[in-house]
Every structure is written in structure tokens, then in C-alpha cells.
Amino acid sequence: MASKATSFLIAGFLLGVLAATGGFAWFVRGQSLHSSTHTATTVLKLAHGLDQNHPVHLAMLFMADRLREHSAGTVTLQVFPNGQLGSETECLEQLQRGALAMTKTSTAPIEGFVPQLAVFGVPYVFRDDDHFWKFIQSPAGRELLVAGTSVGLRGLCYYDAGSRNFYTTHKPILVPADLKGLKIRVQQSKTAMDMVEALGGSPTPIAFGELYTALQQSMVDGAENNPPSFYTNRHFEVCKHLSMDEHARVPDMLLMSEKVWQTLSPTVRRWLQQSADESAKYQRKLWQQESEAVLAAVKQEGVTIHYPDKAAFAAMVEPMRRSYDGTDIGRLLKTISEIE
């Protein structure tokens, strides 16, 4: 009786081993089958503070589509607008840590990281839009894109941000003297602050997300930006004077974390750069259309658009431009001036 029980016990043990072995073999085959029929997907996150209707955001969505096509779906770009993943400064810090793949910023706020980019904030450097784009597409312009890799910030492309102009709550800016005594919101940029001071105003750095309230509560008397931003952020509700003095052309830049870039294969990098370049061309067309449309729209909202004599403003800031002689910025200014 004992031997029979022992036999059943041994038989049961052997069946258990066989079942377990068979189950393990099935699990291994299942994992192997899974890995052989599915391709790993690289997911990159891009965060920025713009509205979903902004031409730059639309260009980023276009980039995501192009990247999906180039990579046959193996690389996905997720775009988070409206500051969902943090402010502009927070996104830049995340890029440097490698916690975020990409963000968009104006070149002005990153002057502290990449001093050469201050060249875009020097007033009246570019004769017109065509002159600006010739520089952007030149070897010197392309070199500026990667000038920040040592601090963890790699530029992929420039996005058009048009010309920057003054807009005010009460009186128009028609001549430089009109700026005297006015508090003008500027970006966190020494160049921007120096420019407003040179024109006689009082530069006041304020986070862009807080600007509407600052204008509404008379904390500042005006600001300076491009027409689409003036419109999409509804600053026209508070400021009824837009002066098209076109004092600077400060582009937006699509930045990538250098840490994340170094983890990507050469093929993925190529797809990414190609998609970024295609999105830049697409965004430039959108920007031109939007710029024309918003000027008509703000007129309908009761804004008076002024076209002051730019020569008077340019003359006022000439000493500021000369102050860069003998510096890296001065050499870039010379390069720009020599572009036909």
C-alpha cells in the first residue's frame, strides 16, 4: 500500500515537472514570437507653450506626420502644447537633463546659454524678410543651430516668427520719443532690454503667460512681439495701438536634448532632421498666411495699425549696434551685412 502511494507520488511529481517544462517552453516561444513580429517604437516628446492654432504648433504636427512616414511608424513624436509639461524655462531644463526630447523657444531667452544667438535681438540688423532668410539658410545661420550642443541644446531648425513690433494700451508709438517713460514688457533677454533702453523706454521682463494680466492691470504700458502672437494671445483686447516699426526679427528655434540625440541611431537622426526641415518650410508658408490674416482681424477688433518711419528708430539704436564691434556678435553682424 505504501509502495503504491509512493508510485502515485512519483508519477504526480513527474507529470508536474513535464507540465511545468511544457508551460515554460510555451512561454519562451510566445516571447520569441512576440519579439520577432513586433518592431520597437521610439517615442519622442515635444512640449511648448503655444496655442493649438499657432502656425508653429501646426508645423510640429506636420513634422510628427512626416517623421511617422519616414520611419514607417517606428518613431513617434508626441506634441504637448499650452505649457502642459512646464514653462519655457522648465522645458529647457528638462532638455538639458534629457527628461524631454524637444521644445520650442524664441532665440532670445537662450542667449544666456548660447551668447551668439543675441545677434537676432540686435535691432535693425536685417534689411527685410528676404535678407533675414538668406542669413538663416547660410552656413553661418546653420552653425548657430548647433552652437548650444555643449550646454545640452541642439537646434534642429528655425521657425519664422516675423518681425517684432511695439503695441501699447493708450498711446501709439510713432517716434522713439513716444517710448519715453513707458514700461515695455520684454523677454528675458539682455539684448531686448538694451534695445528698449536705447529707445528711451523702460524694459520690464515678464513671463509671457502673465503678460495679458500685466497689460490689463497697467503693470506695463505695452509690449513688443509679432502680429500673430499679438492676436492669438488676445492682447488686442487691451492694447489698441500696434506700431509696425519692425525693430527685430527674432526667430523661433526647435531645440532637441543633446542627451536624447546621442541615444538615437544615425538613421533616426536623419529622419528627424529631414522631418524638422520639412516642417520649417511648411511653417513659413503658414506664417505668411497668418500674418496677413491677423492684421485684418485686429483691425476688426478696433486696433489702429501704425507704420512709423523706421529710419528714426534705427538711428537711435546705432550706438548699441556699434558697441558689438570686435566681439563675436560684431563679427556675425558683419557677416550679415555682407549678405546680398
Side-chain angles (χ1 to χ4, degrees), residues 166 176-184 193-204 316:
F166 292 111
D178 291 331
L179 281 159
K180 187 174 182 180
L182 295 188
K183 291 177 291 182
I184 302 296
M193 289 188 278
D194 289 347
M195 177 204 63
V196 172
E197 282 186 351
L199 291 171
S202 177
T204 309
M316 283 285 289

Side-chain angles (χ1 to χ4, degrees), residues 222-288:
E224 51 90 43
N225 213 321
N226 54 62
S229 293
F230 174 61
Y231 179 73
T232 57
N233 291 280
R234 306 192 71 82
H235 294 167
F236 63 84
E237 293 178 347
V238 189
C239 297
K240 295 302 182 180
H241 295 282
L242 172 61
S243 298
M244 299 292 290
D245 66 294
E246 299 183 331
H247 51 261
R249 295 177 186 272
V250 181
D252 282 340
M253 186 182 283
L254 180 62
L255 291 172
M256 180 156 195
S257 165
E258 181 65 13
K259 284 187 177 180
V260 175
W261 176 264
Q262 292 301 330
T263 68
L264 303 176
S265 70
T267 300
V268 173
R269 291 179 188 176
R270 187 176 69 253
W271 289 335
L272 199 54
Q273 187 62 65
Q274 184 178 354
S275 302
D277 290 340
E278 290 170 352
S279 76
K281 291 180 181 177
Y282 178 68
Q283 187 268 344
R284 189 177 174 188
K285 293 178 181 177
L286 289 180
W287 186 267
Q288 291 172 341

Side-chain angles (χ1 to χ4, degrees), residues 10 47 85 133 164 178-179 264 297:
I10 293 171
L85 300 188
W133 281 103
R164 298 184 75 88
D178 291 331
L179 281 159
L264 303 176

